[in-house]
Amino acid sequence: MKYNKLLSMPIHHMILILIGCMTSMIALLAIVDAAFSRSNMSLTFVMAAMTIAILAWGMFDYQKKWFGDSKYIKLVVVLFLYLIMLALSLYYPMLFRQIWAIVFFIPVMSSLLTTYREYAYSCIFFFAYFVVYTVAGTTGMGGEADTTVQSAFMRILLALGSVLLGGIVVIARHQQAKQLEVRALQQQKQQIIHMLQCFVPVGERKTQTSRKEISEMSLLLKGLWMECGGTQTKDWEIELLSLLHFVSRVKLPDYMFEKEGKLSEFELEVVQEHCYMAKELCEGIPGFLEVQNVFLYHHEKIDGTGYPYCLKEDQIPLLSQMLGVVEVFLAMTTPRSYRQAMSKREAYEEIRKLAGTSFRADIIQAFGKVIV
């Protein structure tokens, strides 16, 4: 149980525990050494290690009370690491001379807590400070042997290596986050598709149509997208839009699918509600924003007389216009209880009359090539 709790801790908690444990052990060893050797250096070790240990454990215990769930808590831990480096190098130069190699862990630990930009800024400071201290610090870096060009060069090279290693960690974290994001998007997509598929039989019963309309709309939309020069693959978005369009009809009363003539003002408001179905299902889910907007605006007209927001021309997404064209075409070529289905040619001729008012002329022209 405690093992699982430890594994579930945030990274900045783990780092503070690591620092606290290491410095506590160093303090204990220094106390034992000081008891036998009685040297000033051992006492310095004890003071430095106990100070760092107390600060680390104190931050670990009280950081939630101080900062809550603040997004800056990780940066506070990074700042704490660099303050340790500055304090040791400036106030305990003799001690820093003996444990300078520990400093190389700072960029790696920082890389576990920061973004690209934050890590870059921290490493610029770290590397610049380390180079200046190594080159100019004849006292803090330890005697004649330590101030040779070869020794200074090796330390600077190791510092650069630790910075680059930390950079690799940041890149690995970013890649892993992207993979998790893609995996989560795929899972959410499958959940939404599965839920919508459960309503397909209901849609078939209410509209007296076949689910084949979903695949027909998907094929026409993909063909129109490619004909209009679409380069980015949108297969899953188009398939989801086609499924959404079919299932969204379950929100409408049954009698409206058999009613002849114009709808009443109230009935028009009810029909317009189906545009919000994608927003109701996908709002707040990363990766679904385009599907949400495309479906929301697919009844907008370029002359501004559409719904729900009366958008005009370029305000309407290209794929929304395409979905609207395909929807009208399938509505005309699908038989209803109160009318016969039109032929493809007849339906297209009717759609051509909507060029410049409901739909863009170039989209309608491209659609004509798709249905040939």
Side-chain angles (χ1 to χ4, degrees), residues 46-289:
V46 173
M47 292 174 59
M50 289 187 66
T51 300
I52 296 172
I54 292 171
L55 289 173
W57 288 118
M59 284 190 66
F60 172 73
D61 190 34
Y62 293 106
Q63 62 182 341
K64 288 186 178 181
K65 297 180 182 178
W66 294 344
F67 303 102
D69 294 326
S70 171
K71 64 180 180 180
Y72 299 110
I73 181 62
K74 293 182 180 180
L75 296 180
V76 172
V77 176
V78 174
L79 179 62
F80 175 65
L81 295 175
Y82 284 99
L83 287 176
I84 292 175
M85 180 183 74
L86 289 173
L88 288 177
S89 61
L90 296 177
Y91 294 100
Y92 296 103
M94 297 298 291
L95 177 61
F96 188 77
R97 178 186 64 185
Q98 298 187 9
I99 61 171
W100 60 269
I102 297 177
V103 173
F104 297 144
F105 288 100
I106 292 179
V108 178
M109 287 190 286
S110 300
S111 68
L112 297 171
L113 305 174
T114 54
T115 62
Y116 281 130
R117 179 177 296 183
E118 294 163 352
Y119 180 73
Y121 289 150
S122 66
C123 283
I124 289 172
F125 168 78
F126 169 81
F127 193 68
Y129 181 83
F130 192 86
V131 169
V132 171
Y133 195 89
T134 301
V135 173
T138 56
T139 303
M141 298 305 290
E144 297 180 357
D146 291 336
T147 56
T148 62
V149 174
Q150 183 179 5
S151 177
F153 178 78
M154 287 299 297
R155 293 185 180 185
I156 292 172
L157 190 62
L158 287 172
L160 178 61
S162 68
V163 168
L164 295 177
L165 179 59
I168 293 173
V169 173
V170 173
I171 293 171
R173 284 178 52 227
H174 180 73
Q175 291 176 345
Q176 185 181 31
K178 282 291 184 183
Q179 291 173 357
L180 292 174
E181 183 179 337
V182 170
R183 194 178 304 167
L185 178 62
Q186 290 290 337
Q187 187 176 7
Q188 289 172 328
K189 181 179 67 176
Q190 291 301 321
Q191 289 173 345
I192 291 176
I193 289 175
H194 178 72
M195 180 179 62
L196 290 173
Q197 286 174 340
C198 293
F199 287 97
V200 169
V202 181
E204 288 180 311
R205 180 187 61 79
K206 290 173 73 74
T207 61
Q208 297 300 309
T209 56
S210 170
R211 67 184 67 195
K212 291 181 180 179
E213 187 177 316
I214 300 172
S215 58
E216 290 174 358
M217 175 172 278
S218 181
L219 288 172
L220 289 172
L221 269 177
K222 290 177 182 178
L224 184 54
W225 174 255
M226 297 302 295
E227 185 64 35
C228 288
T231 54
Q232 185 179 359
T233 303
K234 293 185 178 291
D235 286 353
W236 78 268
E237 290 100 329
I238 289 174
E239 290 169 4
L240 181 56
L241 284 168
S242 303
L243 183 58
L244 271 167
H245 182 269
F246 188 85
V247 173
S248 64
R249 300 169 184 173
V250 303
K251 301 183 71 173
L252 307 180
D254 291 0
Y255 78 90
M256 293 180 65
F257 296 101
E258 299 179 359
K259 182 176 180 178
E260 299 183 34
K262 293 184 177 181
L263 300 176
S264 66
E265 185 175 343
F266 172 75
E267 289 170 336
L268 284 173
E269 291 180 0
V270 173
V271 169
Q272 293 177 13
E273 285 295 318
H274 86 282
C275 293
Y276 295 98
M277 187 165 185
K279 185 176 182 180
E280 292 166 357
L281 288 175
C282 307
E283 189 171 21
I285 303 177
F288 284 84
L289 181 61

